Amino acid sequence: MSKIIPFKAVRPTPDKVALVTCRNYDDYSPAELASWLDFNPYSFLHVINPAYVHSQKITLDKRFKGVAHKYQDFKNDGIFLEDEKAAFFLYEIQTKSQSFTGIVAGTSIDDYKNNVIKKHEDTLQYRVELFKDYLHQTGFNTEPVLITYPDKSEINNWISEKKKEQPIYHFATTNKEKHTLWKVDSDSEITWLEKQFENIPELYIADGHHRSASAELLFDEDNHLGNQNLNYFMSFLIAESNVKIYEFNRIIRDLNGNSKEEFILKLSEHFIIKTKEQELWKPQGKFEFGMYLDGAFYALFYKVNDNDNIKKQNSILSNLDAQVLYDKVLQPILGIEDLRNDERIEYIPGKQSILTIKELVDEGEFEVGFMLFPSDISEIKALADNNLIMPPKSTYIEPKFRSGLMVYEL
């Protein structure tokens, strides 16, 4: 049984919402960030980067306090307003190629602790503690955890009908996306939606493992203060059929002392290799890998056999394409042990063109690039159900929530 609750959101006024909201802070290059901050005084980037007007070199403690003060300035200036009544929200994101619609709600820390909300990624403790400190000192969060639920016709039909109503926001952004938000604040609809999720036994985190872990840590440390908002964290709940999962491709700086010929010979032990020359070849299915090396593309087909632990309990993990690449190539041939911290490897989201990989290798900074086939939701759920952890940078999942669209105060 899954528990969701409505909450009193703090939101931009409708006339400023397109100016306030922004992409994730890390998505901006330094030049792009500076440009937006200079051009747009309403951008939420001013809240999450308050050091910009002074100096980038300030302590984290001062930065977090600066975020809290700047957020309060936005409220005092009437840029943000707090809802008088707790509500759910329906949020639609339309990109050039796809439409995503989900429910914004508070999800339960108890459900997270009891594995009703399931995880498939590991977390880094220092990042969990850092974001926990951020939440503690700023007193708010505007980055919901992306959570999937099994498709339910009742919820799908309700969403279709709700989208016929007048939204509270409808705006476009400079990256050519359209964003629409509906408020769900009638008692009958709130009760109905809560009951729908009570009939869903399990939810799955798609994106936001560090954020949810930080919310749990903050609850453990501060729940004695009696703040009921700590019992929940803001989530964007979306039907599992409506998420888009991309791969993370890999580029490596050297061949670990191997010549091109030696490297390909070692690959041939576990892969059937076909030369594609200048064809921009991408994997078409599971156990297929693309490779770009020395000016040419290759197709690698994994030789699956009974010796690959297929029938063992960890077969779900060992048959994940990202794990196959690590087990058969990155670790034994290229000597990469730590996928998070080894400076010889970098990651390219699969939504970027493979020409990006070709250019980086051709420029000489990297020696070889690998293209993977994206995982699907069934693999993610199977890993979570068996308490298994994906290798780092296995998935890039959309949709991405707009920062500053909605604030959950703690």
Side-chain angles (χ1 to χ4, degrees):
M1 186 176 87
S2 306
K3 182 175 176 60
I4 65 169
I5 63 160
F7 65 97
K8 291 183 179 180
V10 177
R11 301 180 287 105
T13 56
D15 63 318
K16 296 183 180 67
V17 62
L19 293 169
V20 171
T21 63
C22 59
R23 307 195 309 272
N24 183 281
Y25 177 80
D26 293 330
D27 288 348
Y28 293 88
S29 68
E32 194 177 12
L33 180 64
S35 175
W36 272 108
L37 290 167
D38 282 337
F39 166 73
N40 181 5
Y42 296 108
S43 174
F44 196 70
L45 291 168
H46 286 284
V47 174
I48 54 183
N49 190 35
Y52 171 75
V53 294
H54 302 296
S55 168
Q56 295 294 336
K57 296 180 180 179
I58 61 171
T59 64
L60 284 174
D61 184 64
K62 285 186 176 180
R63 180 181 177 187
F64 294 162
K65 288 178 180 177
V67 170
H69 291 152
K70 193 65 178 178
Y71 172 61
Q72 192 60 48
D73 288 345
F74 268 47
K75 292 178 71 176
N76 292 340
D77 291 342
I79 299 169
F80 277 122
L81 299 175
E82 182 176 356
D83 286 331
E84 295 182 359
K85 181 181 179 181
F88 293 121
F89 297 88
L90 189 66
Y91 178 37
E92 180 186 64
I93 304 168
Q94 288 184 305
T95 70
K96 287 179 282 188
S97 59
Q98 194 159 352
S99 176
F100 305 96
T101 305
I103 299 159
V104 188
T107 45
S108 167
I109 289 287
D110 282 341
D111 284 355
Y112 180 83
K113 287 178 173 289
N114 297 328
N115 212 32
V116 173
I117 298 175
K118 297 196 169 188
K119 312 93 181 166
H120 69 268
E121 284 186 8
D122 206 355
T123 55
L124 297 173
Q125 190 60 26
Y126 83 90
R127 285 187 58 192
V128 172
E129 292 181 359
L130 180 66
F131 194 64
K132 181 267 298 179
D133 291 341
Y134 172 89
L135 295 174
H136 176 77
Q137 294 201 47
T138 63
F140 72 86
N141 180 33
T142 186
E143 298 181 19
V145 176
L146 182 65
I147 292 180
T148 66
Y149 60 86
D151 282 68
K152 292 189 66 177
S153 58
E154 297 91 342
I155 297 179
N156 289 342
N157 292 337
W158 172 80
I159 288 174
S160 295
E161 289 301 311
K162 192 69 182 177
K163 286 164 73 169
K164 295 177 183 177
E165 298 180 9
Q166 183 70 25
I168 57 173
Y169 295 149
H170 182 64
F171 63 98
T173 55
T174 53
N175 60 346
K176 298 181 180 179
E177 291 181 351
K178 293 180 182 178
H179 299 260
T180 311
L181 190 75
W182 295 263
K183 184 189 284 191
V184 183
D185 61 355
S186 73
D187 292 340
S188 59
E189 279 189 298
I190 286 172
T191 300
W192 181 84
L193 204 52
E194 287 174 335
K195 288 183 177 179
Q196 288 297 313
F197 277 86
E198 285 175 3
N199 294 324
I200 297 175
E202 295 155 339
L203 302 173
Y204 293 82
I205 295 177
D207 189 26
H209 286 79
H210 284 89
R211 277 165 270 158
S212 50
S214 297
E216 179 191 30
L217 188 57
L218 184 64
F219 170 85
D220 290 341
E221 292 187 3
D222 289 359
N223 76 88
H224 64 279
L225 300 175
N227 182 353
Q228 292 299 307
N229 286 355
L230 295 178
N231 297 336
Y232 301 87
F233 55 92
M234 185 168 64
S235 293
F236 186 30
L237 300 136
I238 190 165
E240 59 189 38
S241 67
N242 196 209
V243 295
K244 176 66 175 176
I245 304 174
Y246 296 91
E247 74 282 6
F248 263 108
N249 297 314
R250 281 91 163 105
I251 48 177
I252 294 68
R253 296 186 189 280
D254 59 69
L255 296 182
N256 196 31
N258 293 287
S259 67
K260 171 186 170 182
E261 292 73 23
E262 290 171 334
F263 180 60
I264 290 178
L265 181 62
K266 290 178 180 179
L267 284 178
S268 65
E269 179 182 353
H270 295 291
F271 300 89
I272 297 169
I273 303 171
K274 295 185 178 179
T275 305
K276 296 293 182 178
E277 298 298 345
Q278 296 305 304
E279 179 186 346
L280 299 177
W281 192 84
K282 292 184 68 174
Q284 305 301 303
K286 190 169 174 56
F287 296 136
E288 297 180 9
F289 302 84
M291 182 175 73
Y292 184 71
L293 173 66
D294 192 27
F297 285 92
Y298 296 83
L300 310 181
F301 301 93
Y302 181 48
K303 300 174 183 177
V304 181
N305 60 66
D306 290 335
N307 295 322
D308 287 315
N309 298 322
I310 289 175
K311 296 180 180 179
K312 293 184 179 180
Q313 189 271 338
N314 70 342
S315 62
I316 301 163
L317 180 59
S318 62
N319 286 306
L320 199 67
D321 282 5
Q323 190 67 38
V324 169
L325 187 68
Y326 176 77
D327 288 341
K328 304 303 180 184
V329 182
L330 301 182
Q331 193 272 337
I333 303 177
L334 295 177
I336 294 174
E337 300 283 348
D338 187 344
L339 291 172
R340 287 190 187 275
N341 299 310
D342 195 315
E343 294 183 352
R344 297 169 55 226
I345 184 170
E346 291 192 13
Y347 302 89
I348 307 292
K351 66 180 300 181
Q352 289 190 28
S353 169
I354 60 174
L355 283 172
T356 303
I357 294 175
K358 180 181 185 300
E359 289 168 1
L360 288 168
V361 173
D362 287 346
E363 288 170 0
E365 184 178 354
F366 295 88
E367 192 79 17
V368 62
F370 293 98
M371 288 72 78
L372 286 75
F373 188 73
S375 297
D376 61 33
I377 194 68
S378 64
E379 287 184 310
I380 291 174
K381 290 176 66 176
L383 285 163
D385 288 340
N386 287 276
N387 297 313
L388 297 171
I389 300 299
M390 272 188 161
K393 298 291 187 181
S394 291
T395 56
Y396 178 91
I397 300 179
E398 289 187 336
K400 299 296 183 186
F401 203 87
R402 195 94 176 148
S403 289
L405 177 70
M406 201 170 300
V407 178
Y408 182 88
E409 291 193 342
L410 301 169

